[in-house]
Amino acid sequence: MVSKGQIPNSQILIATIASIVAAGSYTTLAGLLITQFAIDLGWKAATVSAGVALNMLLYGVTAPFALILMDRYGIRPVAIGAMTLLLVGSAVCLWPNPLGFNLAWGLLIGLGTGCLTMAYGAHMARLWFPRSVGLVSGVLTAAAVVGQFALLPLWTAAMTRYGWQAPIIGCGLLTIAATGLNWIWMGEAEDRRQDRQGRKVPQQPLFLVVGEVVIDLLRYMRRRPFWILVLLSLICGATTNGIMWSHFTPAAVDCGMTVEAASFVLALIGIFNVAGTMAAGWLADRMSSRVILMVVFFGRSLTLLWLPLIFWGAFEPQLVVFGVIFGMLDVATVPPVIVLSNRVFGRNGAIVFGWINAFHQLGAGGMAFVGAHIRTQLGSYDLLWFASGVIAMVTALLVFLDRYETQDGRPLHGE
């Protein structure tokens, strides 16, 4: 039984899931909005490109700083502060002004989502579920992808019926609900954490916190496993977010599919991410993380090489199979990478994963840029899918470039 004044870890998990889903719901919304902006407001993609680019940048680099702030000032105030930024940003975006949208989407929503990324999930998994880090990391990673992809058909339907403001309002409502859960449950969670540690982390001026993050990063960069994980994450981002967030829907339209059909396939990817990521997390607690990463990258390679062979004409049943398989493998790399980060870097594992995730976004942005030029120059995305498949296949071997030794120099068990 749970005594008065104490909450079970399941409620902490629910509040964390709600936060990550709410933040994730913003991350893929820009591609949907840009299409409708052109119809309703006459805006070109370039009109909001600065805000979209800044959003992706801050989504990647904010996480390590946010995790340090959570250690110093508490999880609840930082999480609620992040969601307040999301709500304010949403309100500004409802006003159809290009400058306002670029500033709000890029700065406010970029910072807000960056505080509640998968690195936040890794931090919560290590803090509250140390015996099941892989599994819980898988659940929280799946929550991020549910927010990113599984809600897209709902937002598409809402936008079609009520206009481009509707999905922004929907994301805001999710954020309000998540804020309430954090207010109710995360305060007591913070008290329990401090009681368990027997001390409070001394608060420091913000500039010292930022300096500490940078100094720690320089220390991590001296270790070989950091750069191997960075390389894996760069390629992971390039072969997932970099092609799916930006190019799947335009490629589908090129082939004669509707936006709704493309959103359905992306939703399948989001839904089956739950099973795939949780399975990868469960396995990461029990077997070699390197083997899991090898299998995932190799399987992803085969699906990407298959895609241009079935991506033609109208909507085909094979695309449903693609959505299911790619969804199972899409973010299944995250739990084993989190496990390796925790074991190699100890209590700083979540922060290290935050930096690794920033490079993941860098890879995604680079591939999004390259994909746009491939489409412009060749008139087709086929080369993008083939190149992504070949890169993923090579990465399946790069996993074994390091033994991922612990801080005391011992190799990992089972590695």
Side-chain angles (χ1 to χ4, degrees):
M1 293 183 65
V2 179
S3 61
K4 184 178 180 180
Q6 190 178 42
I7 58 175
N9 285 7
S10 60
Q11 293 180 345
I12 296 173
L13 183 62
I14 291 171
T16 305
I17 288 173
S19 302
I20 293 176
V21 169
S25 68
Y26 288 89
T27 55
T28 52
L29 196 59
L32 193 63
L33 292 174
I34 288 172
T35 304
Q36 201 66 26
F37 285 161
I39 298 173
D40 293 348
L41 305 175
W43 294 359
K44 298 179 180 179
T47 305
V48 296
S49 61
V52 173
L54 181 59
N55 179 285
M56 291 188 70
L57 175 64
L58 291 178
Y59 179 84
V61 303
T62 302
F65 298 94
L67 296 184
I68 286 290
L69 291 175
M70 288 178 183
D71 273 342
R72 295 296 184 271
Y73 305 107
I75 297 168
R76 183 171 72 168
V78 176
I80 291 180
M83 286 183 278
T84 301
L85 290 175
L86 294 177
L87 291 172
V88 174
S90 298
V92 175
C93 287
L94 293 174
W95 176 42
N97 176 274
L99 178 60
F101 181 88
N102 278 290
L103 289 175
W105 195 265
L107 187 61
L108 300 179
I109 294 180
L111 287 171
T113 55
C115 290
L116 301 171
T117 63
M118 291 178 286
Y120 168 64
H123 177 70
M124 295 299 289
R126 183 190 62 80
L127 185 63
W128 288 108
F129 306 91
R131 296 182 179 179
S132 305
V133 170
L135 178 59
V136 175
S137 297
V139 172
L140 297 177
T141 300
V145 182
V146 166
Q148 293 164 2
F149 289 118
L151 295 174
L152 279 177
L154 175 62
W155 300 149
T156 302
M159 187 176 69
T160 301
R161 183 166 184 176
Y162 300 108
W164 61 267
Q165 295 97 335
I168 298 176
I169 294 173
C171 292
L173 293 175
L174 285 177
T175 304
I176 291 172
T179 302
L181 292 177
N182 275 267
W183 184 265
I184 294 170
W185 286 333
M186 283 301 181
E188 294 185 43
E190 195 63 28
D191 292 339
R192 287 174 58 195
R193 180 176 72 89
Q194 292 172 355
D195 290 343
R196 188 176 62 189
Q197 291 177 339
R199 61 180 179 87
K200 292 188 177 182
V201 177
Q203 295 189 2
Q204 297 175 298
L206 185 59
F207 75 92
L208 290 179
V209 173
V210 173
E212 181 181 339
V213 173
V214 175
I215 291 171
D216 286 345
L217 174 61
L218 295 175
R219 189 172 70 251
Y220 306 144
M221 291 170 66
R222 296 170 59 185
R223 301 195 63 190
R224 178 184 172 90
F226 176 82
W227 289 110
I228 300 301
L229 293 173
V230 162
L231 177 61
L232 297 180
S233 294
L234 272 168
I235 298 173
C236 182
T239 55
T240 53
N241 297 2
I243 53 180
M244 291 300 164
W245 285 15
S246 304
H247 299 305
F248 184 85
T249 299
V253 173
D254 285 349
C255 295
M257 291 171 57
T258 64
V259 173
E260 290 79 7
S263 295
F264 172 74
V265 177
L266 291 175
L268 284 176
I269 293 175
I271 291 169
F272 282 91
N273 252 296
V274 177
T277 312
M278 288 178 62
W282 184 83
L283 290 172
D285 290 326
R286 292 163 172 80
M287 63 177 291
S288 169
S289 294
R290 293 192 296 179
V291 171
I292 298 171
L293 289 170
M294 179 195 68
V295 171
V296 170
F297 275 114
F298 185 76
R300 183 186 300 173
S301 169
L302 295 180
T303 59
L304 289 172
L305 293 173
W306 183 44
L307 182 58
L309 303 178
I310 61 173
F311 219 175
W312 55 274
F315 180 75
E316 299 289 341
Q318 294 95 319
L319 287 170
V320 174
V321 179
F322 169 84
V324 172
I325 297 175
F326 193 88
M328 292 286 291
L329 302 172
D330 184 24
V331 197
T333 57
V334 172
V337 169
I338 289 174
V339 168
L340 291 178
S341 298
N342 286 337
R343 291 179 181 173
V344 174
F345 295 97
R347 66 180 302 272
N348 296 318
I351 296 173
V352 171
F353 177 74
W355 286 115
I356 291 170
N357 195 52
F359 284 96
H360 182 281
Q361 287 303 107
L362 180 62
M367 186 60 90
F369 179 80
V370 170
H373 281 270
I374 288 176
R375 173 63 178 83
T376 300
Q377 296 297 322
L378 302 180
S380 168
Y381 283 104
D382 286 352
L383 179 60
L384 177 66
W385 310 129
F386 280 121
S388 300
V390 171
I391 293 170
M393 186 170 292
V394 173
T395 309
L397 301 177
L398 297 180
V399 169
F400 295 95
L401 284 177
D402 196 85
R403 297 180 66 197
Y404 306 97
E405 295 179 338
T406 59
Q407 287 183 319
D408 59 9
R410 292 177 301 172
L412 299 182
H413 176 70
E415 296 296 341

